[in-house]
């Protein structure tokens, strides 16, 4: 029943959108009616989505999709998240978010009606394309041809609270760029002279970017504790393609900041808007098309892949074609000086785009090589580390002082403080690493991270009157965001450069020492949970005879799908994580891997600060 | 500064950045790329201790647990198989008869020292490259 409602709602919303698109040459709908229909379409799409969710929650195995991806014994949260834990459902989620954005956009006020209508029309066209894709190739509402009373189950590795909310957050980021894309194209088509729409673009691009940040961070955090590889970023194609719209989106947010200085690179902003959405589609769909081989990609289906590529080229091609044909003349004069805010923002944008290109090249390089030479290769993490990081370094140096640069002149207020600060930090870090671990990348990362934090604090103290109200926090928002980046850089540097790995073969009762901590293999316990059996080894960590904590690491066995998952045990501390993985066992001897990951918590802290300031920034005009 | 000059400066700067990026890429690509083979392809190939990846299936009844962290098994594409030695933790989905990708280098003819092992990540997952190979060699089975 719910499947039928779901399908009908999806279909009617498609028809409604087709009507909206065709209404343009035929009848002139008033903006009020137009908005109304857009909202109805959004509600229909959401109805469709929630019908699928109902089918999952009630374990309605008459629905083929539910049968394939769910199981009645699953905990409720994974029944709900099962809705988008598969290809078909995630596509329905994608289009639901697309219509939610259209829904909210239809309420925006500071935009003239013609432009708003045009923007929503482009959004409507996107809706039509993706609905067709779902209905023709990935229908989640197919009826099961045989009657069954149990489902096949969700892949246990996906049964995790972090991953349950990861796709909606990530998609909220990806799909948010659709509104900016539509806005930019609409602006081009109308030859919009008024720059008011740029403020809207700034708001929506900040919202999308913030969601994207959250989505990527959740995915990364999941990889950290669920995959059991000891790291949080692997330069896997799936990760790379989410990073590309993120960096391009960052460039967009920064180029939109130039509205404040009344110096607008309009062409560039429009180009970035189109690029961000293209990269987002590329991101969601390239993985699914089966063209890219990734260690964690969904199964491929050739017909889907073709359809996806078609949509991708249609949207991207259309976007860039309009851009080439109708791009506006740059009338505004740009005030580029040796070091003022405009030049800093331009340099930042160039660096970010080059970074995006570098990642793109590395990600699609295997495809190119395979087409040309028929050899299959994979590009590993070292490539990305040795290209992306050096390119970003000048940008990191610049970002520490960029917010206090002036729009018009070359002067930096109180520049002496910054110089002294920089020298002090460099000396301290050098001095410290000379007596501990001397690693050039480590030194560089630490100097950059601390410098960004200190310079941002200096800038806040020197340039603003300290007040404790919301307005003040709005004013210093860009500095706060940069402090977040600085903290994350320290976390990233330490956790990758100063990471340690230890391996042991241990019996019950054995103990070993890592630095000042004694760790005891206390016992092995097994238990039956709702839909899995758990095996856990208890490790007692002591620091100078004081028991710090007991960490459980082990494995889960899921009888439904006959899959074992490794469950890492992590002791989170402010300055390091102690990370346990349990391997195989022979003659009661267990293989144990322990990673000491310093400052990992700083990465998550930095990300949280960035997300906070992303949302604060979106409330600003 | 005239506007044209500024624009020129901007373009030169971006070109410079892009060329630096490309140089970095070219310098690094040799070490950072690992080639992917199937067991049949690798068998008569001299790989000079280079880092490579091999994809195929874990051959049935060849998995030996030497100790809790040392494993021997064969990777096969149903035509040829390669002996693999691996020290570490096997991925969760690693099983005999299932698809796996191993990374490492050849020790001598037919013996491979793996530094990492990837198993298929999803119940339905099959690396596209292995799928092509299997289809070509006629061993593709829809149930894999």
């Amino acid at each position: 029943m719910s499947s039928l409602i779901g399908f009908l709602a999806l279909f009617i919303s498609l028809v409604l959108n087709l009507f909206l698109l065709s209404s343009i040459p035929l009848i002139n709908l008033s903006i009020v009616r137009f908005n109304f229909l857009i909202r109805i379409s959004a509600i229909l799409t959401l109805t469709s989505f929630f019908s699928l969710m109902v089918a999952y929650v009630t374990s309605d195995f008459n629905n083929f999709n539910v049968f394939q991806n769910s199981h009645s014994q699953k905990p409720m949260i994974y029944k709900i998240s099962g809705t988008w834990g598969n290809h078909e459902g995630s596509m329905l989620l994608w289009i639901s978010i697309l219509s939610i954005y259209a829904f909210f956009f239809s309420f925006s006020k500071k935009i003239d009606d013609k432009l708003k209508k045009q923007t929503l029309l482009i959004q409507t066209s996107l809706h039509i394309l993706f609905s067709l894709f779902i209905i023709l190739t990935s229908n989640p509402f197919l009826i099961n041809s045989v009657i069954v009373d149990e489902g096949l189950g969700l892949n246990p590795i996906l049964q995790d609270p972090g991953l349950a909310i990861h796709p909606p957050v990530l998609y909220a980021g990806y799909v948010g760029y659709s509104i900016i894309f539509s806005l930019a194209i609409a602006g081009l088509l109308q030859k919009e002279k008024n720059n008011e729409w740029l403020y809207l673009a700034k708001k929506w691009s900040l919202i999308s970017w913030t969601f994207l940040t959250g989505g990527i961070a959740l995915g990364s955090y999941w990889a950290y504790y669920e995959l059991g590889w000891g790291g949080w970023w692997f330069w896997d194609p799936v990760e790379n393609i989410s990073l590309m719209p993120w960096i391009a989106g960052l460039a967009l947010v920064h180029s939109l900041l130039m509205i404040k200085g009344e110096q607008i690179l309009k062409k560039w902003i429009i180009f970035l808007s189109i690029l961000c959405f293209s990269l987002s589609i590329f991101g969601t769909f390239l993985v699914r098309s089966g063209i890219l081989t990734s260690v964690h990609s969904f199964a491929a289906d050739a017909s889907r892949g073709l359809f996806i590529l078609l949509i991708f080229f249609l949207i991207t091609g259309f976007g860039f074609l309009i851009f080439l044909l109708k791009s506006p003349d740059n009338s505004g004069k740009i005030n580029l000086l040796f070091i003022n805010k405009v030049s800093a923002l331009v340099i930042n944008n160039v660096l970010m785009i080059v970074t995006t290109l570098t990642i793109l090249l590395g990600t699609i390089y295997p495809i190119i090589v395979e087409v040309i030479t028929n050899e299959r290769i994979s590009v590993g993490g070292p490539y990305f580390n040795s290209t992306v990081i050096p390119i970003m370094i000048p940008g990191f140096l610049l970002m520490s002082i960029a917010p206090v640069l002036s729009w018009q002149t070359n002067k930096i207020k109180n520049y002496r403080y910054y110089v002294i600060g920089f020298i002090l930090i460099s000396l301290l870090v050098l001095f410290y690493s000379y007596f501990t671990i001397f690693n050039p990348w480590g030194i560089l990362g630490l100097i950059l991270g601390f410098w960004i934090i200190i310079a941002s604090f200096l800038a806040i103290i020197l340039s603003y009157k300290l007040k404790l109200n919301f307005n003040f926090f709005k004013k210093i928002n860009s500095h706060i965001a940069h402090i977040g980046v600085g903290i994350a850089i320290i976390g990233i540097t330490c956790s990758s450069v100063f990471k340690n790995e230890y391996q042991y073969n241990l019996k019950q009762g054995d103990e070993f020492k890592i630095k000042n901590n004694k760790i005891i293999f206390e016992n092995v316990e097994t238990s039956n949970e709702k839909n899995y059996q758990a095996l856990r080894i208890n490790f007692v960590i002591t620091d100078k005879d004081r028991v710090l904590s007991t960490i459980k690491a082990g494995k889960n066995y899921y009888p439904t799908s006959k899959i074992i998952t490794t469950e890492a045990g992590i002791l989170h501390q402010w300055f390091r994580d102690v990370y346990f993985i349990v391997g195989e066992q022979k003659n009661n001897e267990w293989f144990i891997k322990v990673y000491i990951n310093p400052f990992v918590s700083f990465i998550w802290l930095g990300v949280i600060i960035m997300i906070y300031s992303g949302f604060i920034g979106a409330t600003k005009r | 500064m005239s506007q044209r000059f500024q624009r020129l400066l901007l373009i030169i700067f971006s070109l410079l950045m892009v060329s630096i990026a490309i140089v970095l890429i070219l310098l690094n690509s040799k070490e950072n790329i690992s080639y992917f083979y199937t067991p049949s392809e690798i068998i008569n190939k001299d790989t000079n201790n280079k880092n490579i990846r091999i994809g195929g299936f874990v051959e049935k009844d060849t998995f030996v647990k030497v100790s809790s962290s040392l494993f021997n098994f064969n990777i096969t594409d149903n035509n040829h198989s390669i002996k693999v030695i691996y020290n570490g933790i096997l991925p969760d989905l690693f099983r005999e008869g299932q698809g796996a990708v191993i990374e490492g280098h050849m020790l001598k003819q037919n013996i491979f020292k793996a530094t990492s092992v990837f198993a298929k990540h999803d119940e339905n997952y099959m690396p596209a490259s292995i799928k092509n190979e299997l289809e070509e060699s006629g061993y593709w089975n829809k149930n894999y």
Side-chain angles (χ1 to χ4, degrees), chain A residues 18-31:
Chain A
L18 280 169
F19 167 73
L20 279 176
L21 193 66
S22 58
S23 74
I24 291 308
L26 299 175
I27 28 171
N28 192 14
L29 281 175
S30 73
I31 184 77

PDB file of all heavy atoms in Angstrom, chain A residues 18-31:
ATOM      1  N   LEU A  18       6.336  18.875 -14.918  1.00  0.00           N
ATOM      2  CA  LEU A  18       6.244  18.991 -16.380  1.00  0.00           C
ATOM      3  C   LEU A  18       5.257  20.092 -16.746  1.00  0.00           C
ATOM      4  O   LEU A  18       5.498  20.881 -17.660  1.00  0.00           O
ATOM      5  CB  LEU A  18       5.796  17.652 -16.986  1.00  0.00           C
ATOM      6  CG  LEU A  18       6.895  16.608 -17.130  1.00  0.00           C
ATOM      7  CD1 LEU A  18       6.297  15.251 -17.470  1.00  0.00           C
ATOM      8  CD2 LEU A  18       7.909  17.013 -18.180  1.00  0.00           C
ATOM      9  N   PHE A  19       4.160  20.138 -15.979  1.00  0.00           N
ATOM     10  CA  PHE A  19       3.159  21.178 -16.222  1.00  0.00           C
ATOM     11  C   PHE A  19       3.770  22.565 -15.993  1.00  0.00           C
ATOM     12  O   PHE A  19       3.603  23.472 -16.810  1.00  0.00           O
ATOM     13  CB  PHE A  19       1.951  20.965 -15.309  1.00  0.00           C
ATOM     14  CG  PHE A  19       1.019  22.141 -15.266  1.00  0.00           C
ATOM     15  CD1 PHE A  19       0.192  22.427 -16.358  1.00  0.00           C
ATOM     16  CD2 PHE A  19       0.989  22.978 -14.165  1.00  0.00           C
ATOM     17  CE1 PHE A  19      -0.651  23.523 -16.332  1.00  0.00           C
ATOM     18  CE2 PHE A  19       0.148  24.078 -14.140  1.00  0.00           C
ATOM     19  CZ  PHE A  19      -0.671  24.355 -15.224  1.00  0.00           C
ATOM     20  N   LEU A  20       4.508  22.707 -14.895  1.00  0.00           N
ATOM     21  CA  LEU A  20       5.127  23.996 -14.577  1.00  0.00           C
ATOM     22  C   LEU A  20       6.061  24.441 -15.692  1.00  0.00           C
ATOM     23  O   LEU A  20       6.069  25.597 -16.097  1.00  0.00           O
ATOM     24  CB  LEU A  20       5.929  23.886 -13.276  1.00  0.00           C
ATOM     25  CG  LEU A  20       5.143  23.973 -11.983  1.00  0.00           C
ATOM     26  CD1 LEU A  20       6.056  23.749 -10.796  1.00  0.00           C
ATOM     27  CD2 LEU A  20       4.491  25.337 -11.879  1.00  0.00           C
ATOM     28  N   LEU A  21       6.831  23.494 -16.205  1.00  0.00           N
ATOM     29  CA  LEU A  21       7.796  23.818 -17.254  1.00  0.00           C
ATOM     30  C   LEU A  21       7.075  24.225 -18.527  1.00  0.00           C
ATOM     31  O   LEU A  21       7.446  25.190 -19.190  1.00  0.00           O
ATOM     32  CB  LEU A  21       8.705  22.614 -17.505  1.00  0.00           C
ATOM     33  CG  LEU A  21       9.945  22.899 -18.348  1.00  0.00           C
ATOM     34  CD1 LEU A  21      10.871  23.839 -17.593  1.00  0.00           C
ATOM     35  CD2 LEU A  21      10.679  21.615 -18.669  1.00  0.00           C
ATOM     36  N   SER A  22       6.010  23.482 -18.857  1.00  0.00           N
ATOM     37  CA  SER A  22       5.327  23.761 -20.120  1.00  0.00           C
ATOM     38  C   SER A  22       4.417  24.977 -19.994  1.00  0.00           C
ATOM     39  O   SER A  22       3.969  25.535 -20.990  1.00  0.00           O
ATOM     40  CB  SER A  22       4.515  22.547 -20.563  1.00  0.00           C
ATOM     41  OG  SER A  22       3.591  22.228 -19.554  1.00  0.00           O
ATOM     42  N   SER A  23       4.128  25.409 -18.752  1.00  0.00           N
ATOM     43  CA  SER A  23       3.223  26.542 -18.571  1.00  0.00           C
ATOM     44  C   SER A  23       3.849  27.832 -19.091  1.00  0.00           C
ATOM     45  O   SER A  23       3.138  28.782 -19.397  1.00  0.00           O
ATOM     46  CB  SER A  23       2.878  26.708 -17.092  1.00  0.00           C
ATOM     47  OG  SER A  23       3.977  27.255 -16.415  1.00  0.00           O
ATOM     48  N   ILE A  24       5.154  27.863 -19.189  1.00  0.00           N
ATOM     49  CA  ILE A  24       5.813  29.118 -19.557  1.00  0.00           C
ATOM     50  C   ILE A  24       5.377  29.640 -20.920  1.00  0.00           C
ATOM     51  O   ILE A  24       4.912  30.780 -21.029  1.00  0.00           O
ATOM     52  CB  ILE A  24       7.345  28.959 -19.456  1.00  0.00           C
ATOM     53  CG1 ILE A  24       7.741  28.818 -18.002  1.00  0.00           C
ATOM     54  CG2 ILE A  24       8.084  30.152 -20.065  1.00  0.00           C
ATOM     55  CD1 ILE A  24       7.202  29.902 -17.084  1.00  0.00           C
ATOM     56  N   PRO A  25       5.458  28.831 -21.982  1.00  0.00           N
ATOM     57  CA  PRO A  25       4.992  29.382 -23.256  1.00  0.00           C
ATOM     58  C   PRO A  25       3.461  29.444 -23.344  1.00  0.00           C
ATOM     59  O   PRO A  25       2.926  30.226 -24.130  1.00  0.00           O
ATOM     60  CB  PRO A  25       5.562  28.412 -24.283  1.00  0.00           C
ATOM     61  CG  PRO A  25       5.807  27.157 -23.554  1.00  0.00           C
ATOM     62  CD  PRO A  25       6.054  27.503 -22.135  1.00  0.00           C
ATOM     63  N   LEU A  26       2.768  28.633 -22.559  1.00  0.00           N
ATOM     64  CA  LEU A  26       1.321  28.500 -22.758  1.00  0.00           C
ATOM     65  C   LEU A  26       0.518  29.512 -21.937  1.00  0.00           C
ATOM     66  O   LEU A  26      -0.146  30.376 -22.487  1.00  0.00           O
ATOM     67  CB  LEU A  26       0.882  27.069 -22.403  1.00  0.00           C
ATOM     68  CG  LEU A  26       1.547  25.985 -23.266  1.00  0.00           C
ATOM     69  CD1 LEU A  26       1.162  24.605 -22.779  1.00  0.00           C
ATOM     70  CD2 LEU A  26       1.168  26.165 -24.737  1.00  0.00           C
ATOM     71  N   ILE A  27       0.587  29.380 -20.616  1.00  0.00           N
ATOM     72  CA  ILE A  27      -0.174  30.307 -19.783  1.00  0.00           C
ATOM     73  C   ILE A  27       0.775  31.027 -18.842  1.00  0.00           C
ATOM     74  O   ILE A  27       1.790  30.466 -18.428  1.00  0.00           O
ATOM     75  CB  ILE A  27      -1.230  29.569 -18.912  1.00  0.00           C
ATOM     76  CG1 ILE A  27      -0.748  28.153 -18.645  1.00  0.00           C
ATOM     77  CG2 ILE A  27      -2.607  29.667 -19.490  1.00  0.00           C
ATOM     78  CD1 ILE A  27      -1.548  27.402 -17.659  1.00  0.00           C
ATOM     79  N   ASN A  28       0.419  32.225 -18.509  1.00  0.00           N
ATOM     80  CA  ASN A  28       1.271  32.973 -17.604  1.00  0.00           C
ATOM     81  C   ASN A  28       0.779  32.816 -16.172  1.00  0.00           C
ATOM     82  O   ASN A  28      -0.120  33.507 -15.724  1.00  0.00           O
ATOM     83  CB  ASN A  28       1.284  34.436 -18.032  1.00  0.00           C
ATOM     84  CG  ASN A  28       2.374  35.201 -17.306  1.00  0.00           C
ATOM     85  OD1 ASN A  28       3.253  34.577 -16.707  1.00  0.00           O
ATOM     86  ND2 ASN A  28       2.307  36.503 -17.349  1.00  0.00           N
ATOM     87  N   LEU A  29       1.389  31.882 -15.459  1.00  0.00           N
ATOM     88  CA  LEU A  29       1.007  31.671 -14.067  1.00  0.00           C
ATOM     89  C   LEU A  29       1.521  32.825 -13.221  1.00  0.00           C
ATOM     90  O   LEU A  29       2.654  33.275 -13.418  1.00  0.00           O
ATOM     91  CB  LEU A  29       1.639  30.380 -13.543  1.00  0.00           C
ATOM     92  CG  LEU A  29       0.990  29.057 -13.907  1.00  0.00           C
ATOM     93  CD1 LEU A  29       1.858  27.926 -13.391  1.00  0.00           C
ATOM     94  CD2 LEU A  29      -0.392  28.970 -13.320  1.00  0.00           C
ATOM     95  N   SER A  30       0.699  33.284 -12.287  1.00  0.00           N
ATOM     96  CA  SER A  30       1.187  34.335 -11.399  1.00  0.00           C
ATOM     97  C   SER A  30       2.215  33.729 -10.457  1.00  0.00           C
ATOM     98  O   SER A  30       2.210  32.523 -10.211  1.00  0.00           O
ATOM     99  CB  SER A  30       0.038  34.934 -10.612  1.00  0.00           C
ATOM    100  OG  SER A  30      -0.365  34.006  -9.632  1.00  0.00           O
ATOM    101  N   ILE A  31       3.077  34.561  -9.929  1.00  0.00           N
ATOM    102  CA  ILE A  31       4.150  34.051  -9.075  1.00  0.00           C
ATOM    103  C   ILE A  31       3.590  33.361  -7.840  1.00  0.00           C
ATOM    104  O   ILE A  31       4.148  32.376  -7.349  1.00  0.00           O
ATOM    105  CB  ILE A  31       5.139  35.182  -8.707  1.00  0.00           C
ATOM    106  CG1 ILE A  31       6.322  34.654  -7.883  1.00  0.00           C
ATOM    107  CG2 ILE A  31       4.463  36.318  -7.939  1.00  0.00           C
ATOM    108  CD1 ILE A  31       7.357  33.931  -8.655  1.00  0.00           C
TER     109      ILE A  31
END
